[in-house]
Amino acid sequence: PVVTGASGIHVVLPNYYAPSNMGMVDMATSDGRFLFFLPWLGHTIVGTTDSKCDTPTMRPAVPEDEIKWVIEEASKHLDLRVRRQDVLSAWSGVRPLAND
């Protein structure tokens, strides 16, 4: 196919996980995806870039193992450990991605 699905997840953490005026990106995660931290409306969004999505859906769910992965990767960059109970919300999205 010319176009395939790509998904990413985002978790919302309390604002003390990132400065209010600065973001960060990790381009060398354990599985090669990018991980970003961004201040957002008094909170911090931590999310991933694209993963292959073979069966796109109109209601993408966030698998718990993906939330755990984000927490573990995010904790590598912080002086404090991100805990599961710190995750205020999470969502996943699917977008079209052109094949090379």
Side-chain angles (χ1 to χ4, degrees):
V2 176
V3 176
T4 187
S7 67
I9 74 155
H10 304 76
V11 300
V12 178
L13 300 173
N15 66 348
Y16 53 80
Y17 282 105
S20 62
N21 59 353
M22 182 185 346
M24 179 184 86
V25 65
D26 174 5
M27 296 182 280
T29 63
S30 63
D31 70 0
R33 289 184 282 172
F34 288 10
L35 183 76
F36 60 85
F37 293 73
L38 294 171
W40 179 70
L41 300 175
H43 297 86
T44 302
I45 292 181
V46 182
T48 64
T49 57
D50 299 321
S51 295
K52 187 175 179 182
C53 179
D54 292 323
T55 53
T57 175
M58 294 300 288
R59 293 184 162 202
V62 183
E64 190 61 34
D65 64 324
E66 285 286 296
I67 294 173
K68 182 178 177 185
W69 182 86
V70 167
I71 289 170
E72 289 172 2
E73 292 292 321
S75 292
K76 294 177 182 179
H77 300 285
L78 303 168
D79 290 336
L80 63 157
R81 194 175 132 269
V82 181
R83 302 164 302 171
R84 179 60 177 94
Q85 62 260 32
D86 295 328
V87 175
L88 304 173
S89 64
W91 72 91
S92 177
V94 178
R95 69 179 183 92
L97 187 64
N99 286 326
D100 291 333

